Amino acid sequence: MDTPFSKLGLCDALAYGVQEKGYTQPTAIQAQSIPLILAGRDVIGSAQTGTGKTAAFALPIIQKLGGHGKLRCLVLEPTRELALQVEEAFQTYAKFTDLQITIIYGGVGYGKQLEDLKRGMDIIAATPGRLLDHLEQRNCSLADIDILVLDEVDRMLDMGFLPDVKRIVQHTPKSRQTLFFTATIPPEIAELAGWALNNPEKVEIGRQRAPAETVSHGFYQVVASQKFDLFELLLKQTDFKSVIVFTRTRMGADRIAQRLKRSGHTAAVMHSDRSQRERVEALQGFKSGEFEMLIATDIAARGLDIAGVSHVVNYDVPENAEDYVHRVGRTGRAQSTGDAFTLVTEDDVRNARSIERYMGVGVERKKIEGFEYIYSALFDENAQPAAPKKTSRLHRGVRR
Ligand code: AMP
């Protein structure tokens, strides 16, 4: 077979499989990583979300493992949602093989996981805590791991998982091949990479700090008391298919979902106070179109692959500029286009500017025609607001 994927060294069954999924060309990270992984190299990769990273490691791993045998591949993920997504991708790409793949994560019973481990798996996608439980109870062994994938390592660091990750790595053989993915490399991660990787090849795709070029961004300045009204009008004027709305707090997410439901929208909520079952239901309902909106805290921002998200709304500006990139990365994935709306109040000006500095580009300040804006000093700052001014309160209530 002669396809762009087989030219990277993938066998016919996998090349057919990806063609069947409608992938005609490998993405940049796939083109660079697949030959390296097939050649047995350790890889340290940084790529924007939505770049096809999962297939970049899953396809060559499936080829290397070939058929059913011992537990030879472990993929560690920071969240259950990401672990689920990776497991699903492996299941899809490995459809034509007899490889056994499962997922190990917390917040659910042990029954099915124990059954799977007893039956014998080839590939496991796992979150660190539950996997350590199983290792301590000797339910599984990592002694035959050939390929270890540490994914979204910077997120693992944020969540305090690095000590667990190190303990897990120590259960695997030194001779393993290690694939390491992280968007940023602060000192703790550089140290972990130095320890876990053997002469790695670096794969860096695009500018790390900017979201996909297919996303158009807008900052909508508004006083806090008018936020929801502006948001509703924005929705009304927008031809959206599916929207993810990000809030800073769990309570905020619940509150907005309720207000949206009252005005006739279908909305699901996803944050860490929700049970695992509720989170899975919310995500599945959103993916299937049962809910037109998903209201989420940053738990959903990283790496989640949801096809066809037409719009991302930052109801609250994220405090961390990097989270902005991850949030808006939920739309415009894999060459499709998307819009990202961000509501900016007086209190958010500083964070909004730090997002622009982080991305290295300015974001257009947009206004909605026909909205009765309450005046704020925000609006005097035009396209490039300076440091936050304290005058806005004086002007509140004065309509323009
Ligand atoms: P990921 O970055 O792994 O989360 O992948 C983002 C999305 O891109 C997923 O929906 C994949 O199914 C899709 N995708 C992966 N590889 C390709 C490709 N070569 N062509 C088109 N879409 C792809």
Side-chain angles (χ1 to χ4, degrees):
M1 207 171 145
D2 191 25
T3 74
F5 282 95
S6 58
K7 285 195 185 118
L8 298 175
L10 291 176
C11 64
D12 284 357
L14 286 169
Y16 271 123
V18 291
Q19 225 171 20
E20 220 180 51
K21 273 212 74 157
Y23 306 168
T24 49
Q25 289 292 332
T27 64
I29 191 164
Q30 290 163 3
Q32 291 192 33
S33 312
I34 290 174
L36 289 171
I37 299 173
L38 287 175
R41 293 294 307 268
D42 279 8
V43 170
I44 176 160
S46 66
Q48 289 173 234
T49 53
T51 52
K53 178 172 53 132
T54 315
F57 63 78
L59 293 168
I61 287 175
I62 291 166
Q63 174 149 329
K64 292 189 83 175
L65 298 188
H68 182 47
K70 293 176 175 169
L71 175 56
R72 285 159 296 156
C73 172
L74 169 66
V75 184
L76 279 183
E77 293 288 341
T79 66
R80 305 155 189 180
E81 283 78 12
L82 283 168
L84 266 168
Q85 204 165 281
V86 164
E87 188 235 4
E88 273 171 23
F90 267 104
Q91 299 281 12
T92 309
Y93 301 132
K95 209 164 58 181
F96 303 110
T97 73
D98 62 351
L99 288 169
Q100 302 296 305
I101 303 154
T102 195
I103 176 162
I104 299 288
Y105 61 137
V108 293
Y110 281 74
K112 167 148 189 330
Q113 297 180 4
L114 282 173
E115 260 170 47
D116 284 346
L117 291 172
K118 218 174 261 168
R119 199 153 50 82
M121 292 292 124
D122 300 287
I123 301 169
I124 287 180
T127 53
R130 177 60 68 90
L131 181 64
L132 272 175
D133 280 356
H134 282 294
L135 287 170
E136 274 153 21
Q137 292 168 34
R138 299 188 188 284
N139 299 333
C140 66
S141 154
L142 303 181
D144 295 303
I145 292 292
D146 288 330
I147 309 171
L148 172 68
V149 183
L150 303 179
D151 197 17
E152 304 266 337
V153 181
D154 45 351
R155 189 63 171 167
M156 305 250 208
L157 170 71
D158 293 348
M159 296 173 78
F161 286 162
L162 286 201
D164 284 356
V165 171
K166 281 191 177 164
R167 283 170 61 203
I168 292 169
V169 174
Q170 279 164 337
H171 281 263
T172 65
K174 278 218 161 68
S175 57
R176 68 177 186 269
Q177 178 181 12
T178 310
L179 313 176
F180 192 102
F181 296 95
T182 183
T184 57
I185 310 191
E188 300 94 319
I189 290 185
E191 192 230 303
L192 178 68
W195 173 75
L197 293 163
N198 175 19
N199 187 23
E201 191 78 36
K202 279 208 174 88
V203 176
E204 206 168 309
I205 305 299
R207 286 169 54 215
Q208 275 181 34
R209 296 186 154 208
E213 280 158 14
T214 48
V215 177
S216 76
H217 307 252
F219 280 175
Y220 291 80
Q221 296 165 317
V222 63
V223 296
S225 60
Q226 285 192 309
K227 234 173 149 180
F228 192 80
D229 295 339
L230 185 84
F231 171 52
E232 269 208 306
L233 189 62
L234 207 69
L235 288 177
K236 212 178 261 171
Q237 293 188 353
T238 307
D239 181 23
F240 66 85
K241 282 201 307 259
S242 61
V243 189
I244 303 186
V245 181
F246 285 105
T247 62
R248 197 172 292 152
T249 65
R250 288 164 276 191
M251 260 169 58
D254 288 334
R255 213 170 32 234
I256 287 168
Q258 268 169 10
R259 292 181 75 170
L260 286 169
K261 282 181 199 161
R262 275 204 297 274
S263 39
H265 295 290
T266 54
V269 184
M270 195 160 134
H271 56 59
S272 55
D273 272 356
R274 297 257 144 171
S275 71
Q276 182 56 22
R277 193 178 52 80
E278 286 170 326
R279 279 157 64 172
V280 169
E281 276 172 11
L283 199 57
Q284 278 172 351
F286 182 64
K287 280 184 176 177
S288 70
E290 183 189 341
F291 305 113
E292 52 186 349
M293 293 175 200
L294 182 68
I295 322 297
T297 56
D298 282 304
I299 195 177
R302 292 240 181 178
L304 279 192
D305 179 28
I306 304 173
V309 174
S310 60
H311 295 80
V312 165
V313 178
N314 290 309
Y315 190 82
D316 298 315
V317 175
E319 280 166 10
N320 177 343
E322 200 187 329
D323 283 339
Y324 176 86
V325 176
H326 286 288
R327 287 181 179 190
V328 304
R330 298 313 91 218
T331 183
R333 288 173 81 71
Q335 274 102 50
S336 66
T337 55
D339 281 321
F341 303 135
T342 300
L343 305 187
V344 178
T345 68
E346 303 89 319
D347 296 334
D348 300 319
V349 172
R350 194 185 296 265
N351 287 333
R353 293 216 67 183
S354 82
I355 288 167
E356 292 178 305
R357 269 198 307 276
Y358 179 81
M359 297 197 297
V361 287
V363 175
E364 193 184 338
R365 271 56 177 173
K366 294 185 179 170
K367 273 194 154 185
I368 300 188
E369 287 298 316
F371 185 73
E372 295 228 337
Y373 283 94
I374 295 176
Y375 175 73
S376 155
L378 272 170
F379 306 127
D380 295 338
E381 292 168 317
N382 290 328
Q384 292 300 320
K389 290 178 186 164
K390 289 272 178 214
T391 49
S392 54
R393 214 180 310 147
L394 293 174
H395 297 284
R396 258 186 207 160
V398 181
R399 278 172 198 260
R400 252 191 166 176

